[in-house]
Amino acid sequence: MPAITLDNRTGGLALVVGYVILIAALFRDPTNGLATATATVQGIVFFVALPVLGVASGVYAYVDGPLQTLVTLLTGTYLATVGIALTLFLSGGPLLTVVGLVLFGLAAVAILGALMSALSSLGLNESLL
């Protein structure tokens, strides 16, 4: 069984999975989800544009695009923030708590993968850390 490495490919895959879960959670009731997401400019930005950008950034990190560390850090931080918000601040029951924790975990994997990839490009490997 091959070892799982924590790098930009793993981080990109974690971002894609996390944002797909977020989109599925936001639009589990498509009619109400779309109405809420498009009601205001903030709704469009936070519930439509950023999740789509997050999926795209995960693909971008997976294929090792230039500046992928910065893009992964930005979109991973947003995913972690949404995960914490679902876990701590919404009273949606245990399902939303679990989804929030999963999103936070996937964001942590994405951010650590980007940082490990950046460190390895500087010549530092896991044995030095």
Side-chain angles (χ1 to χ4, degrees), residues 96-125:
L96 280 182
T97 302
V98 170
V99 168
L101 290 173
V102 168
L103 292 180
F104 182 77
L106 289 169
V109 168
I111 291 169
L112 289 174
L115 291 176
M116 294 299 289
S117 180
L119 288 175
S120 69
S121 71
L122 294 173
L124 302 173
N125 58 17

Side-chain angles (χ1 to χ4, degrees), residues 33-122:
L34 191 59
T36 303
T38 58
T40 63
V41 174
Q42 290 97 352
I44 293 170
V45 170
F46 289 118
F47 301 128
V48 178
L50 285 176
V52 170
L53 183 66
V55 171
S57 72
V59 172
Y60 185 75
Y62 187 82
V63 298
D64 199 21
L67 300 175
Q68 58 90 14
T69 302
L70 176 67
V71 172
T72 303
L73 288 174
L74 291 174
T75 55
T77 302
Y78 176 72
L79 187 63
T81 304
V82 170
I84 290 295
L86 284 175
T87 302
L88 298 177
F89 303 121
L90 294 180
S91 59
L95 179 63
L96 280 182
T97 302
V98 170
V99 168
L101 290 173
V102 168
L103 292 180
F104 182 77
L106 289 169
V109 168
I111 291 169
L112 289 174
L115 291 176
M116 294 299 289
S117 180
L119 288 175
S120 69
S121 71
L122 294 173

